[in-house]
């Protein structure tokens, strides 16, 4: 009897191993058909991986030039496939079956953000997305324009201290501005980061982002044991505790002011009628019994996620746009004429209606985001084989990269793709382009829920800066040096010159 059982078990194990071997053979066969460099035994193409994050863009650009807009690398037995053709990208982004983010790219954010909209998947993501979408109703966004305008006025006063025509890095000022905006709109609190150099929350956010960036850039820091032994884990935990303690304290304070008898529908109506922070609307959902928010930890995940996504991404988007505007006086003059004409007509340029009328400024922002998308790569995990229009099958288990940075520089969709040209987004050009050729806020069911919020904020701050200052380029040989992390950054800063604008309006 024992022998018979042993034979059965051995047979099952053998069949499972055979099935695994067959699946792996097919996985390798599909992977090897995708264009890419020849792989070595065991290590694959791991020797080609750059030592720095900045080198990532160069190797991906090299792969596109040599192999086209679908290419692959083998990292040991891990298959990484990069896509930068709109037809291929559409297949992945539009299909709800492919919404799971690549854990290998986002796991570093879990201790801080948990599994909110950015990092969650499956039913949790669907329920949260459905619950949160109404909080970005345009009537609510209208109310936030006052917050944008108030904090932009503070920023303008800070920038006046640098308006002597000397070169300076604008990003630290923009970063503080963006954090003031997101704290007030997301949590309903004012931390005054622009005027308070000792703001503990601002310092903790910046230090944590720098620490996570360093860990993502240096492969040896991704080893949990080494990360702990050299003290980085303790440093990260301390920073996260500061941020979580702050968010938790705000949640507790806000929750005691809200009635538990309010219903979600009435809450959202109330949010439309008066300025209501994102946090307050989530608290009202919890009080009304919305299953997406059962605990205060559920709420904190989304507030922290909104803080992360709405701070760093917006900060770099504004900074990149200012650098591009400084280099193109003709573009800057057109923006000024557009905004000045609204002022001359008596319009309040901080209002929602006026911001919607700034069509050329919108083209400029879109073009800056084309060249410098805040999120340069979108990672997806595949749970089934996917056949792409390019003619290749990407096998289940692949780490898939939608290379937004390279997609936006695909000359198939953008002639002279490395040239800054806001006319790319005039109605005629934009209307004829593939709908998945330009995706700075992703696309499909997992697109960025805050993209309208971001565009309003960018328009508001850029319009007032250009109305107040002439922006000139750094002329000391400085250049942007791109670092493609979770958020695309310039590791060489964002250097410009400012001069008070001589106003010619009547």
């Amino acid at each position: 009897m024992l022998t018979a059982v042993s034979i059965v078990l051995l047979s099952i194990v053998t069949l499972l191993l055979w099935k695994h071997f067959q699946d792996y053979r097919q996985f390798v066969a599909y992977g090897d058909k995708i264009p890419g460099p020849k792989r070595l035994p065991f290590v694959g193409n791991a020797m080609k991986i750059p030592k720095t994050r900045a080198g990532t863009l160069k190797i991906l650009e090299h792969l596109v030039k040599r192999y086209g807009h679908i290419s692959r690398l083998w990292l040991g037995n891990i298959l990484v496939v990069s896509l930068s053709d709109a037809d291929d990208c559409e297949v992945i982004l539009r299909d709800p079956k492919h919404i799971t983010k690549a854990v290998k790219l986002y796991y570093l954010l879990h201790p801080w953000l948990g599994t909110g909209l950015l990092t969650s998947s499956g039913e949790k993501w669907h329920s949260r997305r459905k619950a949160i979408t109404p909080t970005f109703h345009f009537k609510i966004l209208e109310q936030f324009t006052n917050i944008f305008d108030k904090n932009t006025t503070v920023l303008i006063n800070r920038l006046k201290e640098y308006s002597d025509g000397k070169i300076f890095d604008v990003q630290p000022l923009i970063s503080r501005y963006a954090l003031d905006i997101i704290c007030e709109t997301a949590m309903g609190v004012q931390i005054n980061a622009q005027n308070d150099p000792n703001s503990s929350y601002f310092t903790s956010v910046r230090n944590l982002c720098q620490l996570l960036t360093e860990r993502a850039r240096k492969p040896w820091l991704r080893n949990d044991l080494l990360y702990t032994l050299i003290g980085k884990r303790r440093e990260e935990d301390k920073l996260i505790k500061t941020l979580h303690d702050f968010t938790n304290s705000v949640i507790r304070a806000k929750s005691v002011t809200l009635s538990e008898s309010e219903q979600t529908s009435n809450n959202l109506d109330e949010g439309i009628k008066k300025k209501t922070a994102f946090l307050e609307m989530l608290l009202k959902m919890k009080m009304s019994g919305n299953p997406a928010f059962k605990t205060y930890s559920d709420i904190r995940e989304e507030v922290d996620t909104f803080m992360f996504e709405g701070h760093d991404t917006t900060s770099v988007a504004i900074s990149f746009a200012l650098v591009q505007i400084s280099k193109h006086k003709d573009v800057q003059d057109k923006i000024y004429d557009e905004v000045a004409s609204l002022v001359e007509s008596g319009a309040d340029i901080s209002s929602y209606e006026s911001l919607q009328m700034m069509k050329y400024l919108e083209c400029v922002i879109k073009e800056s985001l084309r060249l410098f998308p805040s999120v340069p790569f979108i990672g997806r995990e595949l749970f089934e084989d996917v056949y792409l229009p390019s003619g290749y099958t990407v096998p289940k288990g692949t780490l898939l990269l939608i290379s937004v940075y390279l997609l936006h520089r695909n000359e198939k969709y953008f002639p002279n793709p490395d040239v800054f040209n806001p006319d790319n987004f005039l109605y005629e050009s934009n209307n004829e382009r593939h709908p998945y050729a330009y995706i700075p806020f992703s696309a499909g069911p997992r697109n960025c829920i805050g993209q309208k919020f971001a565009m309003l904020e960018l328009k508001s701050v850029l319009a007032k800066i250009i109305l107040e200052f002439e922006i000139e380029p750094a002329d000391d040989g400085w250049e942007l040096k791109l670092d493609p992390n979770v958020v695309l950054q310039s590791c060489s800063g964002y250097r410009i010159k400012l001069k008070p604008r001589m106003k010619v309006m009547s």
Side-chain angles (χ1 to χ4, degrees):
M1 184 67 179
L2 184 61
T3 302
V5 171
S6 299
I7 292 173
V8 170
L9 290 175
L10 181 61
S11 298
I12 292 173
V13 170
T14 301
L15 286 171
L16 290 174
L17 289 172
W18 180 82
K19 177 66 166 58
H20 176 76
F21 178 70
Q22 291 298 108
D23 288 346
Y24 184 70
R25 281 187 63 187
Q26 181 170 300
F27 175 78
V28 172
Y30 279 144
D32 279 346
K33 287 181 181 178
I34 297 171
K38 184 178 179 180
R39 61 188 178 96
L40 299 174
F42 304 111
V43 298
N45 308 118
M47 302 302 291
K48 293 183 177 292
I49 299 302
K51 296 179 181 179
T52 64
R53 297 285 299 184
T56 303
L57 282 181
K58 291 183 179 179
I59 191 170
L60 289 175
E61 288 173 335
H62 168 75
L63 290 173
V64 165
K65 289 177 181 177
R66 181 159 185 181
Y67 301 105
H69 287 280
I70 176 171
S71 58
R72 61 103 184 107
L73 288 173
W74 287 98
L75 306 183
N77 63 350
I78 298 173
L79 176 62
V80 181
V81 173
S82 172
L83 304 180
S84 50
D85 180 87
D87 289 323
D88 286 348
C89 294
E90 180 180 12
V91 170
I92 302 300
L93 293 174
R94 74 181 179 189
D95 194 331
K97 292 182 293 186
H98 307 314
I99 66 168
T100 300
K101 294 284 185 77
V103 175
K104 296 179 181 66
L105 295 180
Y106 297 93
Y107 80 97
L108 297 180
L109 297 172
H110 285 176
W112 177 18
L113 307 182
T115 49
L117 276 183
L118 177 65
T119 53
S120 61
S121 60
E123 180 55 34
K124 181 174 183 177
W125 178 85
H126 283 286
S127 63
R128 292 276 181 91
R129 177 79 182 210
K130 182 178 180 181
I132 292 174
T133 295
T135 68
F136 286 88
H137 190 285
F138 78 93
K139 286 291 185 181
I140 295 176
L141 296 181
E142 282 183 357
Q143 303 301 317
F144 288 154
T145 58
N146 290 331
I147 297 176
F148 299 157
D149 185 57
K150 177 185 67 177
N151 285 285
T152 298
T153 298
V154 177
L155 174 63
I156 294 294
N157 289 332
R158 293 299 314 278
L159 289 173
K160 285 179 179 178
E161 300 171 18
Y162 297 84
S163 60
D164 56 1
K166 294 181 181 178
I167 299 171
F168 74 106
D169 183 0
V170 73
Q171 203 275 337
L173 298 178
I174 298 298
S175 181
R176 288 180 177 271
Y177 157 82
L179 191 61
D180 274 345
I181 291 286
I182 207 67
C183 279
E184 193 166 350
T185 54
M187 293 191 283
V189 296
Q190 300 179 41
I191 65 168
N192 199 26
Q194 294 190 83
N195 288 325
D196 180 7
N198 300 314
S199 169
S200 61
Y201 189 82
F202 174 80
T203 302
S204 297
V205 168
R206 295 310 304 158
N207 289 346
L208 181 57
C209 287
Q210 289 170 6
L211 186 61
L212 294 176
T213 297
E214 182 185 17
R215 192 178 187 196
R217 187 168 56 240
K218 299 177 180 178
W220 58 90
L221 291 181
R222 293 177 220 161
N223 181 286
D224 288 335
L225 178 60
L226 180 59
Y227 192 65
T228 301
L229 289 175
I230 64 175
K232 295 289 186 179
R233 171 68 68 191
R234 183 179 180 182
E235 181 182 351
E236 178 184 318
D237 289 345
K238 184 178 180 181
L239 292 169
I240 290 174
K241 184 178 185 304
T242 298
L243 298 179
H244 282 178
D245 285 350
F246 179 79
T247 307
N248 287 335
S249 68
V250 174
I251 290 173
R252 286 193 298 269
K254 295 289 183 183
S255 65
V256 299
T257 65
L258 301 175
S259 168
E260 299 226 5
S261 63
E262 293 178 332
Q263 298 297 315
T264 303
S265 59
N266 292 334
N267 296 337
L268 293 178
D269 288 342
E270 181 182 342
I272 291 172
K273 292 175 184 176
K274 70 181 185 66
K275 184 174 64 181
T276 304
F278 179 65
L279 167 60
E280 292 180 25
M281 287 184 276
L282 298 189
L283 282 168
K284 290 172 184 177
M285 290 182 200
K286 177 184 179 299
M287 292 173 178
S288 68
N290 190 309
F293 298 100
K294 296 178 181 179
T295 69
Y296 289 124
S297 293
D298 293 334
I299 292 173
R300 192 192 69 205
E301 282 183 341
E302 298 305 342
V303 172
D304 284 344
T305 295
F306 194 38
M307 293 294 298
F308 170 74
E309 291 198 274
H311 170 235
D312 250 15
T313 54
T314 305
S315 174
V316 297
I318 295 169
S319 300
F320 276 123
L322 287 171
V323 170
Q324 293 308 301
I325 292 168
S326 77
K327 294 179 178 179
H328 299 85
K329 188 177 185 304
D330 57 330
V331 169
Q332 186 174 167
D333 289 344
K334 287 181 182 179
I335 298 172
Y336 177 77
D337 290 344
E338 180 177 69
V339 178
S341 67
L342 287 170
V343 174
E344 289 177 339
S345 71
D348 175 7
I349 63 166
S350 67
S351 70
Y352 182 86
E353 292 76 15
S354 292
L355 293 174
Q356 296 301 309
M357 295 172 67
M358 298 177 189
K359 299 299 184 182
Y360 185 72
L361 177 56
E362 184 170 317
C363 290
V364 173
I365 293 170
K366 287 181 175 180
E367 177 67 354
S368 183
L369 287 171
R370 179 185 74 82
L371 288 172
F372 307 102
S374 297
V375 180
F377 309 114
I378 300 170
R380 289 287 190 271
E381 290 194 15
L382 297 186
F383 297 98
E384 62 180 47
D385 296 348
V386 179
Y387 180 77
L388 298 176
S390 56
Y392 299 96
T393 296
V394 182
K396 168 185 175 181
T398 297
L399 172 56
L400 193 71
L401 289 181
I402 306 292
S403 296
V404 181
Y405 178 87
L406 295 172
L407 171 66
H408 286 181
R409 293 171 186 253
N410 188 331
E411 61 185 9
K412 180 178 176 181
Y413 313 112
F414 297 97
N416 300 314
D418 295 325
V419 175
F420 181 79
N421 179 17
D423 289 354
N424 281 322
F425 292 95
L426 294 176
Y427 177 79
E428 297 77 11
S429 301
N430 204 39
N431 200 42
E432 297 173 357
R433 190 176 300 120
H434 194 296
Y436 282 77
Y438 178 72
I439 54 171
F441 299 102
S442 189
R446 194 145 195 172
N447 66 344
C448 175
I449 198 170
Q451 58 185 289
K452 292 181 179 178
F453 175 98
M455 185 59 73
L456 284 175
E457 183 179 347
L458 264 69
K459 281 186 175 182
S460 179
V461 67
L462 291 172
K464 291 197 73 172
I465 289 175
I466 289 170
L467 202 59
E468 192 71 32
F469 304 104
E470 291 183 26
I471 311 171
E472 297 181 355
D475 53 8
D476 58 353
W478 167 84
E479 293 181 354
L480 289 167
K481 293 183 180 179
L482 300 182
D483 183 6
N485 214 296
V486 176
V487 174
L488 183 67
Q489 314 171 38
S490 169
C491 54
S492 58
Y494 306 79
R495 291 157 62 82
I496 59 173
K497 295 190 290 187
L498 292 180
K499 294 180 180 178
R501 184 174 289 279
M502 301 297 294
K503 298 189 173 59
V504 295
M505 294 182 296
S506 57

